[in-house]
């Protein structure tokens, strides 16, 4: 059985082939969405590069709320339709998942992913829920609950980025008003996505009476991580405070004793500021009043494996009997 798996975000699409349950590393590529007019053209270009392999099924993890017929991407003006994907891929079996649902499914094999431990916590529970969350082009989270041998994992998908931003104190009230201007409200994603970092930085410059020096999230996070520009540092500190608070709220909601896994480009870029136990992120994560000591038990790791969502798609296909009997990853293989 040969399947195509895809992790389709607002900025990039990562694709690969799964053959008899094995994700083939030499077929994994990342393509910039801006280089294509729509998803079928992107998919067609990828398949041409592989000399149009015969496929049995396609599974796509979408940065959106999927339906059986597809979805409109949350952070890109693309409509992903089942019929268009089927025609471009030459298959009838097309499946859609939420991108964080796929990431959560991949946590069944968390020990095979490239991870960076940010906080040890207590020893993770082998049978405990595992939660993945992260900030990138957008923000979201999902939880993988324990499964019995031979059964598929139970994953709880969500749209956490559209929850109302939890704020405390006068500084954050001012920031909330800035983010909510002309929008009616400030959502979690409005602050914690890549564009959120840019908007927080703009607010910091405005509040401090200084001109903007940077315009991209990557620039701002790099300056903050190197302790450069003070407005960038303030913006990163605010984002990490809010990220820690939201992460702690979600941890209390789902009790992921199997571990918390952080993902996304924004989260990764700010990782140097998150490692210390006394960091803004970890302090905000644990600041839960009477539950503060309890919060110290959750292990927190940074998920560095770019293929994780692809592995999650492959796991979903395996559970449906559409891609062989098992899904395996070789961490020593290099993706193109």
């Amino acid at each position: 059985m040969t399947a195509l798996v895809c992790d389709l975000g607002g900025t990039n699409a990562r694709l690969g082939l799964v053959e008899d349950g094995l994700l083939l590393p030499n077929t994994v590529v990342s393509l910039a969405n801006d280089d294509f007019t729509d998803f079928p053209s992107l998919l067609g270009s990828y398949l041409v590069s592989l000399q149009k392999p015969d496929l049995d099924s396609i599974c796509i993890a979408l940065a959106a709320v999927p339906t059986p017929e597809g979805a409109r991407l949350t952070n890109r003006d693309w409509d992903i339709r089942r019929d268009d994907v089927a025609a471009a891929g030459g298959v009838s079996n097309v499946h859609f998942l939420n991108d964080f649902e796929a990431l959560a499914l991949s946590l069944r094999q968390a020990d095979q992913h490239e991870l960076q431990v940010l906080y040890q916590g207590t020893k993770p529970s082998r049978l405990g829920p595992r939660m993945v969350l992260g900030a990138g082009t957008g923000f979201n989270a999902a939880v993988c609950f324990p499964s019995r041998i031979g059964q598929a994992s139970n994953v709880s998908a969500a749209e956490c980025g559209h929850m109302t931003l939890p704020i405390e104190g006068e500084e954050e009230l001012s920031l909330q008003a800035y983010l909510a201007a002309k929008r009616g409200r400030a959502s979690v994603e409005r602050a914690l996505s890549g564009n959120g970092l840019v908007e927080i930085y703009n607010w910091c410059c405005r509040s401090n009476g200084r001109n903007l020096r940077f315009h991209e999230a990557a620039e701002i996070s790099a300056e903050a991580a190197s302790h450069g520009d003070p407005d960038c540092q303030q913006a990163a500190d605010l984002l990490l405070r809010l990220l820690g608070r939201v992460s702690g709220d979600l941890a209390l909601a789902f009790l992921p004793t199997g571990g918390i896994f952080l993902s996304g480009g924004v989260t990764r870029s700010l990782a140097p500021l998150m490692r210390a136990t006394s960091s803004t992120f970890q302090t905000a994560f644990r600041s839960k009043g009477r539950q503060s000591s309890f919060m110290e038990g959750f292990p927190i790791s940074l998920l560095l494996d770019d293929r994780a969502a692809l592995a999650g798609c492959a796991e979903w296909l395996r559970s449906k009997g559409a891609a062989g009997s098992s899904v395996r990853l070789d961490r020593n293989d290099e993706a193109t």
Side-chain angles (χ1 to χ4, degrees):
M1 301 288 289
T2 300
L4 180 143
V5 290
C6 176
D7 175 19
L8 180 56
T11 304
N12 300 300
R14 185 167 281 105
L15 306 97
L17 295 185
V18 172
E19 191 169 280
D20 294 330
L22 176 66
L23 178 63
L24 306 178
N26 64 339
T27 68
V28 176
V29 301
S30 180
L31 302 176
N33 294 346
D34 283 344
D35 293 339
F36 301 90
T37 57
D38 53 28
F39 180 71
S41 62
L42 183 152
L43 176 59
S45 176
Y46 171 73
L47 292 174
V48 167
S49 73
L50 295 180
Q51 299 180 340
K52 297 184 177 180
D54 292 329
L55 302 176
D56 298 292
S57 60
I58 293 175
C59 184
I60 304 175
L62 298 169
V65 181
T67 72
E69 298 306 316
R72 185 178 184 84
L73 294 186
T74 303
N75 292 299
R76 175 166 286 270
D77 187 22
W78 278 7
D79 287 310
I80 312 301
R81 299 187 180 92
R82 170 184 295 279
D83 291 345
D84 295 337
V85 174
V91 298
S92 58
N93 294 321
V94 178
H95 313 279
F96 298 110
L97 305 177
N98 174 265
D99 55 348
F100 271 78
E101 183 180 3
L103 284 173
L105 280 167
S106 80
L107 295 182
R108 288 194 71 181
Q109 301 185 71
D111 58 342
Q112 294 190 34
H113 293 324
E114 183 182 357
L115 302 171
Q116 179 183 109
V117 176
L118 296 178
Y119 181 69
Q120 290 284 355
T122 57
K123 184 177 181 181
S125 168
R126 185 174 61 87
L127 298 178
R130 295 173 176 177
M131 180 171 70
V132 60
L133 58 88
T137 306
F139 177 88
N140 206 357
V143 180
C144 182
F145 293 95
S147 61
R148 296 181 180 179
I149 296 175
Q151 294 182 347
S153 296
N154 180 15
V155 170
S156 176
E159 283 297 317
C160 299
H162 302 291
M163 299 186 306
T164 300
L165 183 66
I167 50 91
E168 297 178 2
E170 292 184 5
E171 181 186 42
E172 293 179 19
L173 278 169
S174 177
L175 174 62
Q176 180 196 42
Y178 179 82
L179 295 175
K182 299 181 181 180
R183 296 169 176 145
R185 66 188 287 263
S187 67
V188 167
E189 182 167 291
R190 192 64 66 188
L192 297 186
S193 68
N195 196 55
L197 179 59
V198 174
E199 291 204 48
I200 294 174
Y201 167 74
N202 291 349
W203 176 83
C204 291
C205 291
R206 177 178 174 179
S207 300
N208 297 327
R210 287 191 280 264
N211 294 327
L212 301 179
R213 294 182 57 203
F214 307 99
H215 303 279
E216 300 292 334
E219 298 174 319
I220 297 166
S221 58
E223 283 290 317
S226 64
H227 304 287
D229 182 86
D231 296 311
C232 292
Q233 292 184 65
Q234 182 185 1
D237 189 71
L238 273 166
L239 186 145
L240 290 175
R241 186 194 310 166
L242 294 167
L243 177 61
R245 186 177 302 143
V246 170
S247 301
D249 287 348
L250 292 171
L252 286 173
F254 293 104
L255 301 180
T257 55
I260 296 170
F261 301 83
L262 305 179
S263 67
V266 174
T267 312
R268 289 187 192 182
S269 66
L270 295 176
L273 301 175
M274 302 169 66
R275 296 190 186 104
T277 304
S278 59
S279 69
T280 298
F281 169 81
Q282 294 198 36
T283 299
F285 177 85
R286 294 192 299 269
S287 296
K288 299 300 178 188
R290 290 175 292 173
Q291 295 298 315
S292 294
S293 297
F294 175 70
M295 300 300 293
E296 295 178 0
F298 293 109
I300 305 174
S301 298
L302 190 66
L303 180 58
L304 299 174
D305 197 331
D306 288 330
R307 297 178 295 169
L310 299 183
C313 288
E315 174 64 25
W316 189 90
L317 288 169
R318 184 206 62 78
S319 71
K320 301 299 180 182
S325 60
S326 64
V327 178
R328 303 178 299 281
L329 289 173
D330 186 346
R331 287 178 56 186
N332 296 318
D333 287 328
E334 293 296 327
T336 57

